[in-house]
Amino acid sequence: MPTLTLKDGTEIWYKVWGNPEGKPVTFSHGWPLNADNWDSQAYFLASQGCRVIAHDRRGHGRSSQPWEGNDLTTYADDLHQLVEHLDLHDIMMVGHSTGGGEVARYVGKYGTSRVTKAVLISAITPLMLQTESNPEGLPIGVFNSFREAMVKDRAQFFLDVPNGPFFGFNRPGAVRSEGLVQSWWLQGMMAGFKNVYDCIKAFSETDLNEDLKKMDIPVLLLHGDDDQVVPIQTSALKAIKVLPKGTLKVYPGGPHALPNISPDEVNKDLLEFLKA
C-alpha cells in the first residue's frame, strides 16, 4: 500500500480500495488503533462501488512516529494533505472515537468544500474532560490513570482495555472474542509509545464545540448507550444539540466498539446514510 510524505516529513500509510470512480469515503480510526480496524466497513462499502480510503494516523500503525504533532489539529492537517494528494471531492468522512474528533476538527478548520456528509461513531465530540462548563465530563484522574498504566506496563494495559470496556467484554453475558482482543493489542503495540501517550491528552482535553457548529452538512451520530469509554451522556447527547444538521441513532446496549461488535448494523447504517 502507498505512503504519503507530509510537509513535516512524516510518512502516512494509507489504503485505497474499491472503484476508482466511486463515491469517496474516508475512515479515521480510534486510539490506539490503525486503518485495519475499519476493514469490515471498508470492504463492505468498497464492494458497494465506493472508493474507500483509510489511513494510519501519524504515530499509529505503519505510519512514521514523529515526536511532535500528536494533537487533533495536526491530525486534521494530515488528513487534509491526504485528501488533496488524492484530489478527493464529494467525500463522506467517517470517524470512530478519536477519529470522530479528527473529522470534526477537519471540517472546523477546512470547511465543507470537499465534504458532503460525515458519520461520527462513538465519537469524543464535543469534549470528554470534566470542566466547570462541562460538569458531566470525565475527571482528569481517569485520563491520568491511562497514562500511568501505559508507563507502568503498556503491553498489559493494552490487554486490559480490549478485555474490558472497549468491546464490553466485562459485561455479564458478553460473548468474548479472543481474536478481537488480540487484534486490538497488536494494533496498539504497533503504535509509537509517545504518539499514543500524547494522544490521550488530544482525545480527552480538546474542545470541539466550535468545530461541530461549523459542520453545516448532514452528520450521522452512532453511539451505544453502554459505551464505557466515551459515555453517551458526555458525547453524542451533547453533540446532537450543537450540530446544525445532526441525526442521532442510539444502539441499545452498544459498547464503544460498534464497528467491531455490530458490523452488519453499522455497515447498513453507513450505506443508507451514504445513499440518502
Side-chain angles (χ1 to χ4, degrees):
M1 292 294 176
T3 60
L4 170 66
T5 301
L6 304 175
K7 294 175 181 178
D8 70 352
T10 299
E11 288 190 351
I12 294 293
W13 185 98
Y14 65 97
K15 62 180 77 174
V16 182
W17 291 354
N19 179 5
E21 305 301 322
K23 167 81 172 182
V25 181
T26 63
F27 287 97
S28 296
H29 62 78
W31 175 95
L33 306 173
N34 60 52
D36 293 350
N37 202 55
W38 285 116
D39 277 356
S40 175
Q41 287 70 45
Y43 174 75
F44 174 77
L45 289 185
S47 300
Q48 297 294 320
C50 296
R51 185 186 188 196
V52 171
I53 301 94
H55 70 291
D56 290 354
R57 184 175 300 121
R58 65 168 53 216
H60 296 67
R62 291 136 296 202
S63 293
S64 56
Q65 301 178 5
W67 193 252
E68 303 295 342
N70 306 303
D71 59 84
L72 281 176
T73 298
T74 306
Y75 299 159
D77 293 342
D78 295 349
L79 178 58
H80 182 63
Q81 290 181 62
L82 180 60
V83 165
E84 288 196 319
H85 173 69
L86 296 174
D87 194 26
L88 303 178
H89 297 271
D90 191 29
I91 309 166
M92 183 171 86
M93 287 189 165
V94 184
H96 174 249
S97 195
T98 301
E102 179 181 297
V103 169
R105 178 52 51 90
Y106 175 96
V107 175
K109 183 172 182 179
Y110 292 103
T112 57
S113 62
R114 291 177 179 263
V115 186
T116 55
K117 294 180 180 180
V119 184
L120 309 181
I121 306 176
S122 310
I124 60 171
T125 52
L127 174 63
M128 287 192 68
L129 184 67
Q130 184 182 72
T131 64
E132 287 188 9
S133 59
N134 188 43
E136 299 86 0
L138 299 175
I140 189 66
V142 172
F143 307 109
N144 287 338
S145 71
F146 292 175
R147 285 181 272 259
E148 291 167 3
M150 270 196 66
V151 170
K152 180 179 180 181
D153 188 345
R154 173 167 69 146
Q156 184 59 50
F157 180 49
F158 281 7
L159 283 175
D160 295 339
V161 173
N163 269 303
F166 194 87
F167 295 110
F169 291 156
N170 56 341
R171 293 307 198 202
V175 179
R176 181 179 177 277
S177 165
E178 180 67 22
L180 284 177
V181 171
Q182 292 300 323
S183 176
W184 200 100
W185 181 87
L186 177 62
Q187 291 179 58
M189 294 302 292
M190 287 173 66
F193 189 96
K194 185 177 187 292
N195 304 104
V196 292
Y197 184 93
D198 288 356
C199 189
I200 296 172
K201 179 179 178 67
F203 72 63
S204 63
E205 299 183 34
T206 306
D207 190 331
L208 296 158
N209 275 285
E210 294 305 312
D211 302 275
L212 292 179
K213 292 176 184 177
K214 296 176 182 178
M215 298 184 77
D216 57 348
I217 53 175
V219 178
L220 175 63
L221 300 176
L222 304 179
H223 216 105
D225 63 9
D226 192 32
D227 190 328
Q228 301 170 69
V229 179
V230 182
I232 192 172
Q233 294 81 5
T234 67
S235 53
L237 296 184
K238 286 196 163 190
I240 194 63
K241 298 177 181 178
V242 180
L243 287 164
K245 299 179 181 179
T247 300
L248 171 62
K249 177 180 177 179
V250 177
Y251 282 54
H256 187 61
L258 292 181
N260 309 107
I261 297 299
S262 302
D264 291 343
E265 188 172 359
V266 169
N267 292 349
K268 177 176 176 289
D269 288 337
L270 290 178
L271 185 60
E272 288 182 354
F273 186 64
L274 180 74
K275 293 183 173 180

